[in-house]
């Protein structure tokens, strides 16, 4: 009888005990093991920076320049491609407003390196950009800063130096790279000196820093090597030639044969001077720059 | 002993209303000071942990508490805006990494925090679903926001205009949700995170519209003058950033002058932190650099003083309740005089009667204490939730 009554009493108290036990049980903490990458991953926004980083770091870093169709300056990445950049240990930027996509994505600021910050005061501003006005913001321009900074090879050295300082490697390939670039710079200087004062044409406005460094008299049109110029473009060129009688036109890539032929008829020789913003089909940055020099030397 | 407990239990169950009042009174006497202590400890811990994990915060000179509450807990009024150049200023010292915060806009009651993705790593926030924001116009939600609004990856959320009557003011921006954070038990659960640039779009410093240089936009052009295209009022800004129009979004002016509300500075080491603080000591300095832990310590000191007063009040109330309980037991003995007489007459020894009455009191006391313990455990479990919903 007593036993049965005790059981009943315990049964009546058990919900309270159960509640107490339930709340005494804590939640276990989920500790995720942090992943650690052995070799630092460096992402770059253009090929020259990738080349510099590869030369400096060697196999001490995994340098990634994603495959980009066309000019990397105007690349439009997908969210997945941006996510790859977000996971990098270091992201090398060219600066000088290069890579318009950077203003439209989220990247970890602590891992960004603006390689041209040291000479940002010497950036060339393009003044002929179209501006427009509407709304409370008033007149504004979507104007540009010239961004092909590395075509002044002394600036290329400064960009490589910024990477070298950031990486701070004991076994750095920077000195060799610097020597190679400065040697080429002297050769370019010597060759361009032969064109001193002579009017030159650029097929595209990418040669601003080249023009300044090597004291060229170069004016540019907006032509693409693989697109035949229309009549308006030819007219624009003729107008330009009337005040800038150039005999040489520098091209980013090999122009169409028909374009080249018409230019030759006009007494203008086409020379490929590849800025090498994207990875070349053959060779590397240095060999492409040397080829540019050879192309210059091969003019009649 | 079992029979004593049974008899006592039956008596208490029979007088259930009186018993319930006594148990509840004792439970509350025990729970009030302990519960208050738990609540204060939890709120202190909650505030302190967040503050301790945030080394330095920079903002315009003003109330350090307001800056701390806005930057760490996304509460309080929006502090005065500072320019993005303050982020660059910190980074240029090479003493610390800077994380910008722009906490001005809201979607319903939830703050939209414009920052860089460094913030997610800094707070060790993990994604429950989706990915980090990658493109302009994308955002990720804190766990509580997603649950409260019933939103998930693939949905969208619209920023709330600051004033319904400001027709020419800030446009609401429809943001795409690309990720939802795991619950972290912090104010991050109740926030919407997006890239700083997206919040600048909400504020009107950047926008997207039809390319006015194209022939199809001719109806929107009022005049063209020296390469400057002046649009008429028919130009409509996009209020959603899509893959199709993302490229048309552009910023007006120099981003270094664009607004933020605070900079979280993460010094490389203690010395760097001290050196960085030293750079903001000049009399002419317009910025303040604060250690949130110090600000929170000052706040907690005030809270603890208030707690002392509350505990003193609770002690007085408790004392009077205990006296009342004793009175109830004494009066109960008088009322049960005939019952006790009957027990004596049927041969129950005096010590057994005392034991029976003692057991009844013990059961009431233990039940009251168990109830107080359960309430305390409940508070310990859901204290943070209560703190956040009651205080903020």
């Amino acid at each position: 009888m007593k036993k049965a009554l005790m059981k009943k009493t315990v049964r009546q108290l058990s919900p309270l005990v159960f509640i107490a036990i339930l709340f005494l049980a804590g939640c276990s903490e989920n500790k995720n093991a942090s992943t650690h990458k052995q070799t630092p991953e460096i992402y770059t926004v253009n090929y020259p920076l990738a080349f510099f980083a590869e030369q400096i770091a060697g196999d001490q870093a995994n340098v990634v320049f994603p495959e980009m169709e066309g000019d990397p300056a105007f690349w439009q990445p997908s969210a997945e491609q941006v996510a790859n950049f977000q996971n990098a240990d270091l992201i090398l930027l060219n600066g000088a407003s290069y890579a318009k996509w950077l203003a439209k994505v989220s990247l970890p600021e602590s891992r960004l390196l603006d390689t041209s910050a040291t000479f940002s005061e010497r950036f060339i501003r393009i003044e002929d950009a179209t501006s427009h006005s509407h709304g409370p913001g008033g007149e504004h321009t979507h104007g540009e800063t010239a961004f092909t900074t590395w075509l002044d090879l002394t600036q290329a050295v400064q960009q490589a130096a910024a990477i070298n300082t950031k990486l701070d490697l004991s076994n750095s390939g920077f000195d060799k790279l610097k020597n190679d670039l400065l040697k080429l710079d002297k050769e370019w200087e010597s060759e361009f000196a032969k064109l001193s004062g002579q009017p030159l044409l650029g097929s595209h406005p990418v040669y601003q820093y080249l023009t300044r460094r090597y004291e060229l008299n170069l004016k540019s049109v907006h032509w693409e090597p693989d697109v035949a110029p229309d009549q308006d473009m030819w007219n624009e060129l003729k107008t330009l030639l009337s005040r800038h009688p150039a005999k040489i036109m520098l091209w980013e890539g090999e122009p169409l044969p028909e374009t080249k032929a018409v230019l030759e008829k006009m007494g203008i020789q086409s020379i490929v001077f590849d800025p090498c913003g994207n990875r070349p089909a053959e060779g590397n940055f240095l060999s492409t720059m040397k080829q540019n020099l050879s192309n210059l030397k091969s003019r009649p | 002993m079992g029979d004593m407990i049974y008899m006592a239990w039956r008596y208490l169950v029979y007088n259930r209303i009186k018993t319930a009042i006594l148990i509840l009174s004792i439970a509350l006497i025990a729970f009030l000071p302990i519960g208050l202590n738990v609540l204060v400890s939890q709120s202190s811990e909650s505030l302190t942990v967040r503050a301790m994990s945030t080394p330095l915060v920079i903002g315009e000179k003003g109330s350090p508490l307001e800056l701390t509450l806005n930057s760490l807990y996304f509460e309080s009024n929006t502090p005065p805006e500072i320019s993005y150049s303050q982020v660059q200023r910190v980074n240029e010292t090479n003493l610390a990494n800077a994380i910008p915060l722009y906490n001005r806009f809201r979607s319903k009651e939830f703050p939209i925090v414009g920052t860089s993705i460094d913030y997610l790593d800094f707070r060790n926030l993990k994604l429950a679903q989706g990915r980090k924001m990658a493109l302009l116009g994308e955002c990720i939600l804190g766990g509580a926001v997603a649950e409260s609004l019933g939103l998930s990856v693939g949905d969208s959320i619209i920023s709330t205009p600051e004033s319904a009557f400001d027709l020419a003011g800030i446009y609401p921006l429809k943001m795409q949700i690309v990720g939802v954070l795991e619950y972290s038990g912090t104010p991050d659960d109740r926030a919407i995170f997006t890239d700083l640039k997206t919040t600048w779009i909400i504020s009107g410093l950047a926008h997207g519209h039809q390319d006015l240089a194209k022939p199809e936009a001719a109806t929107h052009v009022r005049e063209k003058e020296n390469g400057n295209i002046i649009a008429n009022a028919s130009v409509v800004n996009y209020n959603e950033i899509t893959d199709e129009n993302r490229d048309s979004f552009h910023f007006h002016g120099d981003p270094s002058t664009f607004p933020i509300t605070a900079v979280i500075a993460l010094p490389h080491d203690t010395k760097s932190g001290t050196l960085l603080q030293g750079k903001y000591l000049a009399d002419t300095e317009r910025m303040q650099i604060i250690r949130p832990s110090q600000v929170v310590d000052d706040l907690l000191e005030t809270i603890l003083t208030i707690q002392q007063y509350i505990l003193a009040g609770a002690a007085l109330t408790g004392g009077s309740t205990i006296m009342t309980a004793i009175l109830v037991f004494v009066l109960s003995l008088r009322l049960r005089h005939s019952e006790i007489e009957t027990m004596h007459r049927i041969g129950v020894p005096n010590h057994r009667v005392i034991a029976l009455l003692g057991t009844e009191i013990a059961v009431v006391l233990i039940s009251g204490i168990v109830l107080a313990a359960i309430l305390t455990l409940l508070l310990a479990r859901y204290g943070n939730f209560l703190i956040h919903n009651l205080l903020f």
Side-chain angles (χ1 to χ4, degrees), chain B residues 23 26-27 329 358-371:
Chain B
I23 290 173
I26 289 162
F329 283 121
T359 306
E360 286 171 17
I361 294 168
V363 169
V364 168
L365 282 173
I366 290 167
S367 300
I369 290 165
V370 167
L371 183 60

Side-chain angles (χ1 to χ4, degrees), chain A residues 12 106 109 131-134 140, chain B residues 9 84 134 207 209 229 231 252:
Chain A
Q12 283 171 323
S106 302
E109 298 194 22
S131 63
H132 64 257
S133 299
H134 57 88
H140 59 275
Chain B
W9 178 249
Y84 182 73
H207 63 192
H209 53 75
I229 302 171
H252 292 184

Side-chain angles (χ1 to χ4, degrees), chain B residues 18 324-337:
Chain B
K18 185 188 86 174
T324 310
I326 291 169
L327 187 66
V328 168
F329 283 121
V330 171
L331 289 174
S332 164
L333 282 178
R334 285 199 174 184
L335 286 170
R336 296 171 69 187
H337 182 71

Side-chain angles (χ1 to χ4, degrees), chain B residues 258-281:
Chain B
F258 289 179
I260 54 174
T261 48
V263 181
I264 294 176
L266 309 176
H268 302 314
D269 49 44
T270 311
K271 186 183 170 188
S272 300
T274 311
L275 289 171
L276 187 66
Q277 281 182 287
K279 292 184 180 293
Y280 290 83
L281 293 178

Side-chain angles (χ1 to χ4, degrees), chain B residues 103-180:
Chain B
N103 176 21
R104 172 181 157 191
F105 305 107
R106 304 185 90 77
S107 178
K108 296 183 178 168
E109 72 268 33
F110 301 107
I112 298 171
V113 181
T115 185
S116 77
I117 61 164
D118 288 325
Y119 182 86
L120 306 179
D121 295 334
F122 161 60
R123 292 283 185 216
N124 201 24
L125 297 173
K126 307 276 183 232
L127 286 160
Q129 51 173 289
R131 57 170 172 80
K132 294 173 185 174
M133 60 270 195
L135 304 173
L136 217 53
E138 293 182 341
C139 70
I140 54 175
L141 306 184
V145 181
E147 192 179 321
S148 172
L149 300 177
L151 296 171
S152 62
V153 172
D155 295 333
S156 54
I157 190 165
I158 301 174
S159 65
T160 307
E162 287 181 314
S163 167
F165 303 105
D166 184 11
L167 296 178
I170 288 159
Y171 288 91
L173 182 73
K174 191 174 178 183
M175 294 177 287
Q176 202 187 353
I177 300 163
V178 295
V180 175

Side-chain angles (χ1 to χ4, degrees), chain B residues 99-353:
Chain B
I99 299 175
L101 286 178
Y102 191 30
N103 176 21
R104 172 181 157 191
F105 305 107
R106 304 185 90 77
S107 178
K108 296 183 178 168
E109 72 268 33
F110 301 107
I112 298 171
V113 181
T115 185
S116 77
I117 61 164
D118 288 325
Y119 182 86
L120 306 179
D121 295 334
F122 161 60
R123 292 283 185 216
N124 201 24
L125 297 173
K126 307 276 183 232
L127 286 160
Q129 51 173 289
R131 57 170 172 80
K132 294 173 185 174
M133 60 270 195
L135 304 173
L136 217 53
E138 293 182 341
C139 70
I140 54 175
L141 306 184
V145 181
E147 192 179 321
S148 172
L149 300 177
L151 296 171
S152 62
V153 172
D155 295 333
S156 54
I157 190 165
I158 301 174
S159 65
T160 307
E162 287 181 314
S163 167
F165 303 105
D166 184 11
L167 296 178
I170 288 159
Y171 288 91
L173 182 73
K174 191 174 178 183
M175 294 177 287
Q176 202 187 353
I177 300 163
V178 295
V180 175
L181 295 170
E182 283 179 5
Y183 270 91
S184 61
T186 68
D188 298 321
D189 292 341
R190 296 176 56 79
I192 299 159
F193 295 97
T194 186
D195 190 87
L196 187 59
K197 294 184 279 288
T198 303
T199 49
W200 286 340
I201 291 174
I202 299 174
S203 70
L205 290 164
H207 63 192
H209 53 75
Q210 207 172 358
D211 187 350
L212 296 171
K214 286 187 175 171
E216 55 266 33
T219 55
H220 302 304
V221 176
R222 199 172 74 200
E223 61 180 274
K224 288 185 181 180
E225 190 183 347
N226 299 329
N228 175 40
I229 302 171
I230 301 172
N232 57 38
S234 67
V235 174
V236 178
N237 290 333
Y238 300 126
N239 64 357
E240 182 182 6
I241 304 170
T242 61
D243 290 341
E244 288 72 36
N245 69 22
R246 184 169 286 111
D247 203 37
S248 79
F249 276 81
H250 53 274
F251 293 87
H252 292 184
D254 177 6
S256 69
T257 64
F258 289 179
I260 54 174
T261 48
V263 181
I264 294 176
L266 309 176
H268 302 314
D269 49 44
T270 311
K271 186 183 170 188
S272 300
T274 311
L275 289 171
L276 187 66
Q277 281 182 287
K279 292 184 180 293
Y280 290 83
L281 293 178
D283 292 339
T284 52
E285 179 60 58
R286 290 185 57 204
M287 298 296 131
Q288 63 172 330
I289 185 164
I290 57 168
R291 275 195 186 278
S293 55
Q294 280 175 2
V295 177
V296 168
D297 281 349
D298 292 344
L299 177 68
L300 289 177
E301 260 182 47
T302 312
I303 291 174
L304 286 173
T305 310
I306 296 167
Q307 186 195 12
Q308 299 304 318
Y309 288 116
I310 294 172
L311 284 177
L316 283 172
T317 316
S320 61
T321 310
I322 288 168
M323 299 294 277
T324 310
I326 291 169
L327 187 66
V328 168
F329 283 121
V330 171
L331 289 174
S332 164
L333 282 178
R334 285 199 174 184
L335 286 170
R336 296 171 69 187
H337 182 71
S338 58
E339 182 192 337
I340 293 166
E341 271 299 303
T342 306
M343 279 194 273
H344 281 146
R345 282 180 188 160
I346 61 173
V348 179
N350 203 31
H351 72 272
R352 295 282 286 172
V353 173

